[in-house]
Amino acid sequence: MANKGILIVAVSQHGLLPAATYELITAGRQLADALKEPLSAVVLSEKASALAVDLASRGVEKVYTIEHPSLAGFTEDAFAKAAAAVIQKDGYGKILLASNVVGRALAARLAIQLKAGLATDVCEIASNGTVLRPYFSGNLLATVEFKSPLAVITLAP
């Protein structure tokens, strides 16, 4: 596994991508440009194809679609298996998810399944791949460095 590239995991809610997905694209694009790595996304939904067109037009170089009726409602196991299949197939190094209930639940499941490092509620990603994460209601900021070749990150809005 090469562990190169950034993958955004986009999970639809009520048939639409949440606004946080577009914030992930902006952060992912900045990181991809700094690291000179590709930016990709995977759309997990019962109607993924329609949503993928929008992501492709916003600067994501490659968009995977995983479309299945079982992805109509969020279940950690189904979504984690689908995302992990893409991550393992192409060997991504950084996985970005929205820091919402669904994103954090999925991130935790992916980190365990893929034996990856995990940082949640991240407020900033440095060009060297370290992340800034608040603790104690934002009164303390910590820099997190990943020792594993794969990092799963949820970004706060």
Side-chain angles (χ1 to χ4, degrees):
M1 190 182 303
N3 293 94
K4 290 281 185 185
I6 295 101
L7 180 71
I8 294 168
V9 179
V11 178
S12 73
Q13 295 175 346
H14 309 293
L16 301 171
L17 292 175
T21 303
Y22 303 106
E23 293 178 18
L24 291 174
I25 293 171
T26 301
R29 178 81 272 147
Q30 291 172 349
L31 182 60
D33 290 346
L35 297 175
K36 296 183 180 7
E37 293 183 2
L39 176 64
S40 302
V42 58
V43 181
L44 308 170
S45 174
E46 76 281 9
K47 297 177 183 172
S49 300
L51 301 172
V53 174
D54 187 31
L55 293 183
S57 69
R58 294 178 185 257
V60 176
E61 291 142 7
K62 186 174 188 178
V63 181
Y64 301 89
T65 58
I66 301 180
E67 191 169 283
H68 194 271
S70 68
L71 300 175
F74 179 71
T75 57
E76 288 179 33
D77 193 44
F79 278 69
K81 283 181 183 177
V86 172
I87 295 163
Q88 290 173 321
K89 178 181 175 268
D90 285 345
Y92 288 95
K94 293 187 181 33
I95 313 305
L96 303 180
L97 298 102
S99 193
N100 53 26
V101 173
V102 169
R104 285 189 298 271
L106 186 53
R109 181 69 64 114
L110 284 171
I112 291 168
Q113 196 170 341
L114 300 170
K115 295 178 176 50
L118 173 65
T120 58
D121 300 325
V122 167
C123 59
E124 184 179 322
I125 302 175
S127 60
N128 65 0
T130 61
V131 298
L132 197 60
R133 182 185 190 292
Y135 288 92
F136 302 112
S137 301
N139 291 318
L140 177 67
L141 293 174
T143 300
V144 178
E145 180 181 342
F146 294 97
K147 297 293 183 182
S148 61
L150 178 60
V152 178
I153 303 164
T154 68
L155 286 174

